[in-house]
Amino acid sequence: EKEPVRYANLMYDRRVVRGNTYALQVIPAYTQPDLFEIQRQREARRRALARKRAKEQMQLKTPEPVEGREHVHVQTELYLEEISDRIIEVDMECQTDAFLDRPPTPFFVPAKTGRDVATQIEEGELFDFDIEVKPILEVLIGKTIEQALLEVMEEEELARLWAHQRAYAELRNAELAEVQRLEEQDRRYREEKERRKQQQMQMLQKQKETTEKIAARAFAKRYLTDLIPSVFNNLRESGFFYDPIERDIETEFLPWLMTEVEETLEKKVLGRMTLDSLIRTVVEKRLDAFSQKPLPDQTEAPAEEPGPVDTDPQVADETEAAGQLVAEQEDTDQPVAEEQVSRRISFQLEEGDQAGTEEPETE
């Protein structure tokens, strides 16, 4: 299998040497891989793949989606978190300090001992400049050309790196654009799904409300079928609905009639009581009059005393007259003054008493 190219940061590459080179780990250019190590790595990779395949087989899988649909991973944890394929990247720069190279160590010059001796040397005695300068010039020119070649190679390597970075940036921008497009598509699908779910929930809610309203209307209609007649009957029995003529008779005429009847009955009872008292008074007086002893001259002819016989008709006449007055009063139902009735009856009784007393004296 072809392994993907892994891009690393040069700041952490072990092949780049910085500072002191004493701890440099030199990698040999021609290293033969160990066959036993390669076989061991392949065996470890095979076991890992087998373990992964067995783990996938042991896990419960959902059925395959129908045609035109696909499974989407859904979070079931307690707290949701936003999952994105975009890796957050931050560009950072690092510039090392420009340290000066350590100057070369000066040669050890021992202290002078002895005397200085000078020697006169003429021009051309020690060396020939044209001959002696040739190796120095060759070294300088070689070093210059070598440095120029290194700089040219470095420029070409930098150009290749920049081209590679531009290609990587273009690929990365294309992938980012594709990721944004997929995220936007996923967002539209999610919004459309939520909108469809909301519409379905609203439709179910309206259907439920309509069903409840229909059931409530049917129940109320069935419950109220006998309610209105019973309510009207109760109100009619309670007196809220009544006949105005009957109500007027009951509230105005009948109380007035009862009042008048009571007054008339009271007057009749009063007249009867007065008459009874008068009759009783007259009877008592007559009883007292007849219970008295007769005179001496009247004892000779007791059989000729017409007094009691005459007085009885008078008393009867008086009682009859009083009864006629009471009967007339009851028949006519006209109010008669109590004082006038009592005066008449008492006057008639007094006349009857006087007539009764005069008749015995004349006889």
Side-chain angles (χ1 to χ4, degrees), residues 201-216:
M201 291 176 65
Q202 291 179 359
M203 184 181 70
L204 293 176
Q205 185 68 20
K206 289 182 179 179
Q207 186 177 2
K208 183 179 179 181
E209 291 179 357
T210 305
T211 306
E212 291 179 355
K213 287 181 180 179
I214 293 172

Side-chain angles (χ1 to χ4, degrees), residues 195-345:
R195 186 162 53 252
R196 294 293 179 86
K197 287 172 65 177
Q198 191 69 20
Q199 291 177 358
Q200 186 69 17
M201 291 176 65
Q202 291 179 359
M203 184 181 70
L204 293 176
Q205 185 68 20
K206 289 182 179 179
Q207 186 177 2
K208 183 179 179 181
E209 291 179 357
T210 305
T211 306
E212 291 179 355
K213 287 181 180 179
I214 293 172
R217 182 176 180 275
F219 178 75
K221 187 175 181 181
R222 180 179 296 179
Y223 181 75
L224 295 176
T225 50
D226 299 332
L227 182 62
I228 295 175
S230 62
V231 168
F232 277 103
N233 292 330
N234 293 332
L235 292 175
R236 190 178 294 106
E237 292 176 358
S238 301
F240 289 95
F241 300 105
Y242 56 86
D243 189 1
I245 299 174
E246 183 179 358
R247 185 64 176 271
D248 191 10
I249 291 173
E250 292 178 355
T251 56
E252 299 294 336
F253 178 72
L254 289 180
W256 173 81
L257 182 60
M258 294 299 294
T259 304
E260 294 295 329
V261 170
E262 288 178 359
E263 291 179 357
T264 305
L265 292 176
E266 288 178 359
K267 291 178 180 179
K268 288 182 179 181
V269 171
L270 182 60
R272 289 178 180 176
M273 290 174 64
T274 306
L275 180 60
D276 293 339
S277 62
L278 292 175
I279 292 172
R280 183 171 182 176
T281 304
V282 171
V283 171
E284 289 178 354
K285 287 183 179 181
R286 289 290 179 268
L287 184 60
D288 293 338
F290 287 118
S291 64
Q292 292 178 359
K293 294 181 180 181
L295 297 173
D297 54 357
Q298 293 179 356
T299 56
E300 295 178 358
E304 294 179 0
E305 290 181 359
V309 179
D310 295 335
T311 55
D312 292 335
Q314 291 179 358
V315 174
D317 294 336
E318 292 175 358
T319 55
E320 289 178 0
Q324 289 178 0
L325 290 174
V326 174
E328 290 177 359
Q329 186 177 1
E330 292 177 356
D331 294 335
T332 56
D333 289 335
Q334 294 179 357
V336 181
E338 298 176 1
E339 296 179 357
Q340 294 178 1
V341 175
S342 60
R343 287 177 182 176
R344 289 180 183 177
I345 294 172

Side-chain angles (χ1 to χ4, degrees), residues 23 36 40-41 55 80 92 160 185 240 264 268 279:
F36 180 78
R40 189 175 62 82
Q41 291 179 359
K55 187 176 180 181
L80 301 179
M92 302 294 292
R160 286 196 299 271
Q185 183 179 3
F240 289 95
T264 305
K268 288 182 179 181
I279 292 172

Side-chain angles (χ1 to χ4, degrees), residues 38-53:
I38 294 174
Q39 185 177 2
R40 189 175 62 82
Q41 291 179 359
R42 290 179 179 176
E43 188 69 18
R45 190 180 298 110
R46 192 182 306 110
R47 283 198 299 268
L49 291 175
R51 193 181 301 108
K52 183 178 179 181
R53 192 177 299 108

Side-chain angles (χ1 to χ4, degrees), residues 8-118:
N9 194 347
L10 294 177
M11 295 294 295
Y12 301 97
D13 195 350
R14 301 179 65 183
R15 295 173 295 179
V16 179
V17 179
R18 296 179 182 84
N20 194 358
T21 60
Y22 287 108
L24 177 63
Q25 296 180 1
V26 179
I27 301 175
Y30 303 97
T31 57
Q32 294 295 333
D34 191 2
L35 297 178
F36 180 78
E37 185 68 20
I38 294 174
Q39 185 177 2
R40 189 175 62 82
Q41 291 179 359
R42 290 179 179 176
E43 188 69 18
R45 190 180 298 110
R46 192 182 306 110
R47 283 198 299 268
L49 291 175
R51 193 181 301 108
K52 183 178 179 181
R53 192 177 299 108
K55 187 176 180 181
E56 290 179 354
Q57 291 177 0
M58 289 176 63
Q59 291 179 353
L60 296 177
K61 295 183 179 180
T62 56
E64 295 296 329
V66 298
E67 185 178 358
R69 295 189 179 182
E70 62 179 4
H71 288 317
V72 178
H73 293 284
V74 180
Q75 296 185 18
T76 58
E77 289 81 5
L78 185 60
Y79 299 99
L80 301 179
E81 61 179 357
E82 184 179 1
I83 298 176
S84 177
D85 295 336
R86 183 188 303 173
I87 300 175
I88 299 176
E89 297 180 357
V90 180
D91 295 334
M92 302 294 292
E93 295 181 357
C94 180
Q95 179 65 41
T96 58
D97 297 334
F99 292 106
L100 296 176
D101 293 337
R102 182 167 175 253
T105 305
F107 293 101
F108 176 73
V109 180
K112 291 194 300 180
T113 59
R115 296 181 301 174
D116 293 334
V117 177

Side-chain angles (χ1 to χ4, degrees), residues 318 342-352:
E318 292 175 358
S342 60
R343 287 177 182 176
R344 289 180 183 177
I345 294 172
S346 61
F347 181 73
Q348 291 177 1
L349 292 174
E350 288 177 358
E351 288 181 355

